[in-house]
């Protein structure tokens, strides 16, 4: 009797996983609508930096050297204690397109990145805004162009991809796999008309969308979530699109250790608690069903091996390899597919450990 229940449960959870991967495949068929006039929109690039002097010196030139004729760069110095202000002033002397916003800590918004970003957005002279981080660099000199070409009459929010630089280590493989899987999820959900998140490393939207939802007011008390919680408020199936052009990607240096990455992901995962109920349900069900798929597969193989279990497992992995495989090509993430089962199991354990830790203590936010 117990074995029968476990078997039926395995069938159900395997079916749920297969449905998810069928949904995830939707973004692979995305095609960008060509802007016949190839309009050069005035763009304001916004970068919020807190103690990022070294990264600004290294990566800011890749922004300033973009092949785009009409853009400004809003540099927000968010109460930095290092040489961030000096670095910003150095570049501002060389490039007239730079505007510096200096933020001082005030009691009501102590250490709140959203407050700093709000000041930068208000200072931007252009309607179309493009966001990235101080530790990011575009993968091409056509980043602004490629992201801006996704704006149309109805499409006022553009979700981009922020990848991590390839290095030879297991932590790098795992970080890049998690980043890929997250992108597959938010790209596909946007494609089917239910956008739920974005990454601040590569995101664009019109200033009017920011003011339409009164900026970050609905979650200003939450220190993280300037990207995904804003999308929760502002994005819908009509105004949101995605950018899959490889020249539109940005690249960052991945965390070097599990400890560093663990603290980073704790902040991100804690923000998901403030998502809409439907998004929390679908994201939660994805991970719960995957965890139960593996647990039940192991139990049944130990006590009740059968062709049904083997067939469903093969079907699951076949579909997964197809979807993840084509996604790695679409998002330019080589070599991940070769380690897929190991990366997936390691990521499950990693996320479960974060979930347990977050139950007992709150993560730190911003710098």
């Amino acid at each position: 009797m117990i074995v029968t229940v476990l078997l039926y449960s395995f069938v159900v959870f395997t079916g749920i996983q297969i449905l998810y991967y069928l949904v995830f495949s939707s973004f692979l068929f995305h095609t960008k609508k060509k802007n016949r006039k190839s309009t050069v929109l005035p763009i304001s690039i916004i970068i919020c930096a807190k103690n990022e002097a070294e990264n600004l010196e290294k990566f800011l030139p890749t922004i300033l050297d973009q092949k785009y004729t009409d853009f400004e760069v809003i540099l927000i110095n968010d109460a930095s204690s290092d040489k961030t202000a000096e670095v910003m002033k150095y570049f501002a002397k060389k490039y007239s397109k730079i505007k510096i916003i200096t933020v001082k800590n005030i009691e009501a918004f102590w250490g709140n990145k959203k407050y700093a970003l709000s000041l930068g957005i208000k200072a931007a002279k252009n309607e179309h805004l493009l966001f990235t981080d101080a530790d990011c660099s575009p993968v091409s000199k056509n980043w602004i162009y490629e992201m801006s070409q996704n704006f149309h009459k109805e499409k006022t929010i553009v979700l981009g991809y922020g990848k991590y630089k390839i290095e030879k280590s297991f932590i790098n493989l795992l970080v890049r796999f998690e980043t890929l899987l997250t992108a597959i999820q938010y790209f596909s959900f946007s494609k089917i008309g239910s956008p739920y998140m974005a990454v601040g490393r590569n995101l664009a939207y019109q200033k009017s969308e920011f003011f339409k939802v009164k900026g970050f007011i609905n979650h200003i008390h939450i220190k993280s979530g300037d990207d995904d919680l804003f999308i929760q408020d502002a994005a819908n199936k009509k105004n949101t699109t995605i950018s899959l052009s490889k020249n539109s990607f940005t690249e960052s240096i991945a965390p070097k250790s599990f400890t560093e990455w663990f603290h980073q992901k704790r902040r991100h995962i804690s923000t998901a608690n403030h998502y809409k109920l439907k998004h929390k349900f679908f994201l939660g069900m994805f991970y719960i069903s995957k965890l139960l798929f593996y647990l039940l597969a192991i139990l049944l193989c130990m006590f009740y091996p059968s062709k049904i279990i083997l067939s469903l497992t093969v079907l699951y992995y076949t579909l997964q390899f197809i979807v993840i495989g084509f996604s790695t090509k679409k998002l330019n993430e080589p070599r991940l597919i070769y380690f897929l089962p190991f990366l997936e199991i390691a990521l499950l354990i990693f996320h479960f450990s974060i979930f347990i830790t977050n139950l007992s203590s709150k993560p730190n936010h911003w710098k």
Side-chain angles (χ1 to χ4, degrees):
M1 179 65 181
I2 295 178
V3 173
T4 303
V5 172
L6 292 177
L7 180 59
Y8 280 118
S9 298
F10 176 73
V11 172
V12 169
F13 290 120
T14 305
I16 291 173
Q17 279 292 299
I18 289 172
L19 285 175
Y20 270 105
Y21 279 100
L22 289 174
V23 172
F24 292 163
S25 68
S26 62
F27 95 97
L28 295 172
F29 302 98
H30 174 79
T31 55
K32 184 178 73 173
K33 293 181 179 180
K34 295 292 183 181
N35 189 339
R36 294 179 181 178
K37 296 182 180 180
S38 295
T39 307
V40 177
L41 298 170
I43 301 292
S44 293
I45 299 172
I46 298 181
I47 303 173
C48 189
K50 189 175 184 69
N51 299 325
E52 294 281 9
E54 185 176 342
N55 284 325
L56 285 171
E57 283 184 317
K58 185 175 182 180
F59 298 117
L60 188 54
T62 65
I63 304 291
L64 298 168
D65 292 339
Q66 286 286 297
K67 291 181 179 179
Y68 202 77
T69 57
D70 192 356
F71 73 99
E72 66 171 353
V73 179
I74 308 295
L75 296 178
I76 308 168
N77 178 16
D78 187 11
S80 298
S81 57
D82 65 352
K83 294 184 179 181
T84 292
E86 287 84 347
V87 173
M88 288 183 175
K89 290 175 183 178
Y90 168 79
F91 281 105
K93 289 180 180 178
K94 296 179 64 177
Y95 298 89
S96 59
K97 62 185 65 177
I98 291 179
K99 182 185 295 184
I100 299 174
I101 306 298
T102 300
V103 180
K104 295 183 179 180
N105 279 325
I106 60 175
E107 187 175 352
F109 300 105
W110 186 271
N112 195 320
K113 182 182 179 183
K114 293 174 187 175
Y115 170 66
L117 279 173
S118 297
L119 296 182
I121 291 170
K122 290 177 181 179
K125 68 179 182 181
N126 298 317
E127 168 67 5
H128 296 85
L129 312 176
L130 179 55
F131 296 82
T132 190
D133 289 339
D135 60 351
C136 295
S137 63
V139 300
S140 82
K141 291 189 176 183
N142 294 314
W143 169 61
I144 303 176
Y145 175 80
E146 291 292 343
M147 287 293 288
S148 67
Q149 287 299 295
N150 290 282
F151 283 116
H152 294 280
K153 287 183 178 180
E154 288 189 340
K155 303 303 181 183
T156 56
I157 299 175
V158 183
L159 312 182
Y161 183 52
K163 59 182 301 186
Y164 283 104
K165 187 176 180 179
I166 299 174
E167 296 179 4
K168 293 182 178 180
S169 68
F170 179 72
I171 179 65
N172 183 265
L173 279 173
L174 193 56
V175 169
R176 290 197 295 116
F177 175 69
E178 195 270 345
T179 303
L180 173 74
L181 185 59
T182 299
I184 291 172
Q185 292 173 336
Y186 71 75
F187 280 150
S188 59
F189 272 70
S190 178
K191 187 67 178 175
I192 64 174
S194 186
Y196 73 93
M197 72 159 285
V199 291
R201 302 189 301 275
N202 198 7
L203 170 64
Y205 53 79
Q206 290 184 5
K207 187 190 288 190
S208 56
E209 292 289 358
F210 180 78
F211 291 113
K212 190 183 297 183
V213 296
K214 299 180 180 179
F216 304 124
I217 192 65
N218 292 333
H219 45 88
I220 194 70
H221 61 289
I222 304 167
K223 292 185 178 180
S224 58
D226 54 274
D227 41 21
D228 48 357
L229 294 185
F230 171 78
I231 293 300
Q232 286 280 312
D233 284 344
N236 57 58
K237 64 180 180 181
K238 291 184 178 180
N239 69 359
T240 305
T241 188
I242 63 178
S243 181
L244 298 180
S245 165
K246 292 179 181 179
N247 285 332
S248 74
F249 299 166
T250 61
E251 186 176 72
S252 307
I253 303 297
K256 301 292 186 181
S257 67
F258 278 101
T259 301
E260 180 185 353
W261 190 42
F262 187 85
H263 290 307
Q264 182 188 93
K265 294 310 298 182
R266 281 192 69 194
R267 295 194 298 268
H268 294 168
I269 291 176
S270 66
T271 305
N273 292 328
H274 304 282
Y275 285 3
K276 294 174 183 176
L277 183 60
K278 65 176 181 179
H279 294 137
K280 287 195 289 186
F281 173 79
F282 285 116
L283 292 171
M285 180 55 69
F286 175 65
Y287 285 103
I288 291 171
S289 60
K290 186 180 290 292
L291 179 62
L292 291 173
F293 163 80
Y294 275 104
L295 291 176
L296 290 172
I298 293 171
L299 285 173
L300 289 168
C301 285
M302 291 174 60
F303 301 106
Y304 186 73
S306 71
K307 292 182 179 179
I308 296 176
I309 300 169
L310 179 61
S311 299
L312 287 174
T313 302
V314 170
L315 177 61
Y316 165 78
Y317 275 118
T318 300
L319 180 59
Q320 186 190 48
F321 267 90
I322 291 173
V323 175
I324 299 294
F326 279 104
S327 298
T328 58
K329 292 184 178 180
K330 197 83 169 178
L331 299 177
N332 197 23
E333 293 286 4
R335 298 200 296 270
L336 292 179
I337 192 66
Y338 304 123
F339 306 95
L340 180 55
F342 306 103
L343 292 173
E344 181 172 64
I345 294 171
L347 189 60
L348 271 175
I349 297 171
F350 182 77
H351 279 158
F352 185 73
S353 63
I354 291 176
F355 173 75
I356 297 300
T357 304
N358 280 356
L359 288 177
S360 59
S361 63
K362 293 183 178 180
N364 296 320
H365 299 283
W366 198 211
K367 296 180 180 181

